[in-house]
Amino acid sequence: MMEMGECEICNRYRHAKHKGEQLEILAELNDVPRHKIIGILLENGENVKLPIRTRGRKRNTDFTEKEYQKALLNRLDELDGQISDRENEFKDICTVLFGTRFD
């Protein structure tokens, strides 16, 4: 069960200096995954911006909306590649352990 109500979550996020870090803090304080906090914020009309890594540094300011969306899509592509690699490794291990192919 969450410790804070939606209004308090939104208020703390809105007034946070470092919004990306605040997402993590709110998730930990309420013992919920970060995506649950993001969902609450979006449902209550908050403009949520995830920190974006650019050249090894996190950044969530100075992006135009189009640049921000492109950066998020690029990150999704990176994650998709990592997931595919891990999924293949998982299937290989299962095949060795259980003698069954996972296609």
Side-chain angles (χ1 to χ4, degrees), residues 45-89:
E46 296 295 329
N47 184 17
V48 178
K49 294 280 187 178
L50 297 174
I52 301 291
R53 287 197 178 273
T54 57
R55 296 185 186 133
R57 297 175 51 190
K58 284 187 179 178
R59 171 181 152 183
N60 65 357
T61 57
D62 302 323
F63 277 113
T64 65
E65 190 59 32
K66 189 174 183 176
E67 289 171 332
Y68 180 72
Q69 289 178 0
K70 183 177 181 187
L72 287 178
L73 289 171
N74 287 340
R75 182 65 180 141
L76 279 178
D77 287 342
E78 290 174 20
L79 292 171
D80 185 47
Q82 292 172 9
I83 290 168
S84 294
D85 291 344
R86 295 197 186 274
E87 183 178 36
N88 289 334
E89 181 181 4

